[in-house]
């Protein structure tokens, strides 16, 4: 049970908080044979309870506010949050929308930002791998 | 066998079976990835996953029936590892062979599924409840063809006057194929095919992963399980895969190759054990890995109808052929 347990076995849960589906498609693209994140042990799981990393896409819309908090709380520790895309990082073009609460880091703590509209799959994989460093630090502190 | 002997042999089978289950899981994932033109995870990935799950926090949801939720992962692991003790391993007889037979193995194989369903109901999540209901429906539909396949083999052996008929060692010691007529061979082949169809259902693998269905009910039964408890279910699944594939091998292909190679003593035992493990691997590859890459998920009503009508009809036809063979050949 080394502290590096997360390095090669990272389970990722995908939360869309109001994205346009652009980033979501790029996340799925990272699973395809061309990028194949499973070779690094990264796996997309169906429930936050299994997740080590939350991939959040999109600005936080009003209905998703409580859900996002809930999903964050449901994820067992140690966990990391990676925001994928410009909207999640800064609210992007939706910054003054009546229905947008704000970027993701105004709702839950964020560890890694992956900017881009949408970011390339390489950038998403790099973002997730960067999150590993954070998880290891947390595991070290115990 | 003395108590001490049973203890160390049992320990060897349990540890070996657990390791083997995880290694085979690694092969399964690697080969599935290669078939999809991916590189795939390293072979030790299941060990890494398990290690990571043990580091994670284990959450018991507020709405859960806590004691049931906590107990079920342990029941699943205990049951699926216990099966390994009742199976003969190639040249080696089953550790607890004298204490249980094929019927016990069939019941023990059903216990992890029931444990997962109870754990799902206890977790208080509607998604898990849906998954648990599906698991129970699946259990009810594949048990009958599974029982028919086992009973067919056992009954024909008993008519030939071989040992205590339900003993898996007696089944493994006298392969049926050479002892029955042409009708019997066709019947046995049909039963073997039915058992291969039941195998992925028993293990809840695609196209029968309906109780888990990640994209649809978010992991179903497992939706609320995390950390150590999830690791236990992971381990139970690995052991159960080995147990189910080994059961298929014991019933339908219990041959060794040491005799052909002219080996004797310890060398023969080692070669036969290795060959047994290779056969288990082949069954897993044919019935689980290939099928799960080639197919999409079925719907629960399709599975229930398919197993109750089509597969059962085919299995019973195989059984009737074996009965006819008994009348013709005697």
């Amino acid at each position: 049970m080394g502290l590096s347990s997360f390095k090669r076995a990272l389970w990722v849960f995908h939360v869309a908080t109001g994205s346009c589906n652009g980033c979501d498609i790029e996340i799925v693209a990272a699973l395809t044979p061309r990028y194949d994140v499973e070779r690094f042990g990264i796996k997309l799981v169906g429930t936050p309870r299994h997740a080590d990393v939350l991939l959040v896409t999109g600005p936080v819309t009003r209905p998703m506010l409580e859900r996002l908090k809930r999903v964050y709380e449901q994820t067992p520790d140690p966990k990391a949050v990676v925001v994928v895309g410009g909207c999640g990082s800064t609210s992007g073009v939706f910054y003054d929308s009546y229905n947008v609460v704000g970027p993701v880091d105004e709702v839950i703590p964020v560890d890694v930002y992956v900017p881009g509209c949408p970011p390339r799959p390489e950038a998403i994989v790099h973002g997730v791998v960067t999150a590993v460093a954070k998880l290891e630090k947390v595991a070290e502190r115990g | 066998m003395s108590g001490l002997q049973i203890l160390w042999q049992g320990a060897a089978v349990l540890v070996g079976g657990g390791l083997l289950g995880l290694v085979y899981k690694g092969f399964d994932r690697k080969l599935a990835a290669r078939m999809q033109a991916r590189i795939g995870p390293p072979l030790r990935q299941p060990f890494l996953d398990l290690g990571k799950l043990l580091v994670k926090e284990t959450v018991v949801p507020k709405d859960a029936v806590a004691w049931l939720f906590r107990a079920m992962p342990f029941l699943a692991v205990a049951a699926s590892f216990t099966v390994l003790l009742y199976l003969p391993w190639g040249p080696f007889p089953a550790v607890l062979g004298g204490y249980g037979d094929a019927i016990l193995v069939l019941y023990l194989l059903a216990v992890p599924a029931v444990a997962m369903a109870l754990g799902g109901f206890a977790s208080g999540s509607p998604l898990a409840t849906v998954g648990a209901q599906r698991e129970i429906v699946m259990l009810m539909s594949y048990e009958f063809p599974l029982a028919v396949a086992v009973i067919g083999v056992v009954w024909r052996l008993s008519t030939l006057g071989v040992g205590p008929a339900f003993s898996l060692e007696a089944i493994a010691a006298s392969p049926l194929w050479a002892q029955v007529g042409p009708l019997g061979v066709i019947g046995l082949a049909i039963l073997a095919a039915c058992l291969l169809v039941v195998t992925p259902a028993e293990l809840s693998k695609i196209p029968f992963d309906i109780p888990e269905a990640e994209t649809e009910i978010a992991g179903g039964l497992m939706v609320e399980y995390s950390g150590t408890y999830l690791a236990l279910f992971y381990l139970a699944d690995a052991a159960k895969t080995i147990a189910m594939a080994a059961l298929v091998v014991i019933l339908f292909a219990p041959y060794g190759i040491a005799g052909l190679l002219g080996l004797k003593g310890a060398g023969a035992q080692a070669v036969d054990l290795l060959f047994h493990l290779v056969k288990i691997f082949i069954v897993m590859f044919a019935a689980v890995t290939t099928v799960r890459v080639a197919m999409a998920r079925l719907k629960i009503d399709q599975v229930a109808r398919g197993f109750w009508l089509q597969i059962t009809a085919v299995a019973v036809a195989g059984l009737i052929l074996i009965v006819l063979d008994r009348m013709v050949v005697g």
Side-chain angles (χ1 to χ4, degrees):
Chain A
M1 286 2 96
L3 301 171
S4 58
S5 305
F6 293 94
K7 195 167 273 173
R8 313 266 331 197
L10 207 62
W11 291 4
V12 172
F13 181 70
H14 172 205
V15 197
T17 56
S19 69
C20 69
N21 229 11
C23 299
D24 312 59
I25 286 174
E26 296 305 311
I27 289 172
V28 176
L31 301 171
T32 56
R34 191 179 184 93
Y35 298 99
D36 186 27
V37 290
E38 204 192 354
R39 69 199 148 111
F40 306 123
I42 299 174
K43 197 170 95 169
L44 206 60
V45 293
T47 154
R49 289 272 193 241
H50 301 184
D52 309 310
V53 170
L54 291 180
L55 279 186
V56 189
T57 58
V60 182
T61 54
R62 217 166 285 283
M64 279 307 283
L65 178 64
E66 288 309 313
R67 274 81 184 173
L68 179 60
K69 284 184 196 163
R70 183 93 192 270
V71 166
Y72 180 78
E73 282 159 6
Q74 280 175 335
T75 312
D77 289 321
K79 60 191 163 195
V81 178
V82 178
V83 169
V84 175
C87 295
S89 309
T90 65
S91 290
V93 293
F94 303 108
Y95 73 99
D96 59 351
S97 167
Y98 68 94
N99 201 29
V100 165
V101 179
V104 175
D105 58 6
E106 285 183 12
V107 183
I108 56 174
V110 174
D111 301 290
V112 182
Y113 298 88
V114 184
C117 186
R120 290 187 61 86
E122 291 96 327
I124 297 174
V125 176
H126 180 250
V128 171
V129 174
T130 311
V132 175
K134 185 257 174 176
L135 280 177
E136 282 174 8
K137 228 175 279 168
V138 173
E140 225 162 307
R141 264 186 272 128
Chain B
M1 264 194 290
S2 68
L4 204 63
Q5 211 176 353
I6 290 185
L7 266 186
W8 76 257
Q9 282 180 351
V13 166
L14 291 182
V15 174
L19 291 177
L20 194 73
L22 290 174
V23 170
Y24 275 19
K25 217 178 164 87
F27 272 112
D28 169 62
R29 283 177 70 176
K30 185 80 185 175
L31 289 169
R34 295 305 300 164
M35 281 191 264
Q36 293 170 337
R38 293 188 287 120
I39 293 171
L43 281 183
R44 63 197 175 96
Q45 189 63 47
F47 292 94
L48 297 171
D49 284 349
L50 207 59
K52 183 214 64 181
L53 284 175
L54 292 176
V55 178
K56 292 281 285 184
E57 179 191 7
T58 305
V59 183
V60 178
K62 202 177 68 189
D63 297 336
V65 184
W67 68 271
L68 207 56
F69 186 82
R70 289 171 193 276
M72 285 309 124
F74 292 96
L75 181 62
V77 167
S80 48
F81 274 86
T82 311
V83 181
L84 300 177
L85 295 176
Y86 288 100
L87 297 173
W89 291 90
F92 301 103
V95 178
L96 294 179
Y99 301 93
D101 51 21
I103 299 293
L104 180 65
V105 167
L106 283 188
Y107 275 105
L108 279 175
L109 275 174
V111 170
V114 174
M116 281 169 77
L118 279 177
F121 280 129
S123 64
S125 157
L127 294 169
T129 307
V130 171
Q133 287 165 350
R134 292 178 178 190
E135 177 79 47
I136 295 292
V137 171
M138 282 244 301
L139 187 71
M140 288 192 294
S141 28
Y142 66 66
E143 280 297 295
F144 190 57
L146 175 66
V148 169
V150 175
I151 299 295
V153 173
V154 169
W155 176 78
R156 191 70 184 92
L157 266 180
S158 71
T159 60
L160 293 166
V162 179
F166 274 104
S167 150
L168 283 168
E169 264 136 47
I171 297 171
S174 53
L176 259 182
W177 299 93
Q179 302 180 53
V180 294
L183 279 178
V185 170
I186 299 172
L188 276 179
I190 291 175
L191 290 186
C194 288
L195 201 55
L196 284 180
V197 175
V198 170
T199 304
E202 176 83 46
L203 301 171
S204 294
K205 294 288 154 65
I206 301 170
F208 304 108
D209 65 333
I210 311 161
E212 279 157 43
E214 292 204 337
T215 43
E216 173 191 344
I217 50 170
L221 295 166
M222 297 288 105
V223 75
E224 292 290 345
Y225 276 102
S226 56
T228 312
Y229 294 149
L230 190 61
L232 288 174
F233 276 126
Y234 198 86
L235 206 57
D237 177 54
K240 200 179 162 192
T241 307
I242 297 287
M244 189 62 199
L247 183 67
V248 177
V249 169
I250 291 162
L251 285 177
F252 289 104
Y255 298 98
I257 50 166
L260 289 176
L261 298 173
L263 290 170
K264 282 199 176 60
Q269 285 189 329
V271 167
D272 268 350
L273 179 62
L274 209 63
F275 187 58
H276 186 68
L277 299 184
V278 169
K279 282 186 292 186
I280 292 178
F281 177 75
I282 292 172
V283 168
M284 188 201 74
F285 180 71
V288 177
T289 313
T290 320
V291 173
R292 86 183 173 92
V293 173
M295 294 184 74
R297 187 183 310 125
L298 293 167
K299 286 187 282 186
I300 187 67
D301 59 312
Q302 290 171 324
V303 170
R305 203 180 312 115
F307 273 119
W308 269 113
L309 299 178
Q310 282 94 328
I311 305 289
T312 298
V314 173
V316 169
L319 191 63
I320 290 173
L321 281 176
I322 289 181
V323 173
L324 288 176
D325 178 71
R326 155 78 170 151
M327 292 174 174
V328 177
V329 182

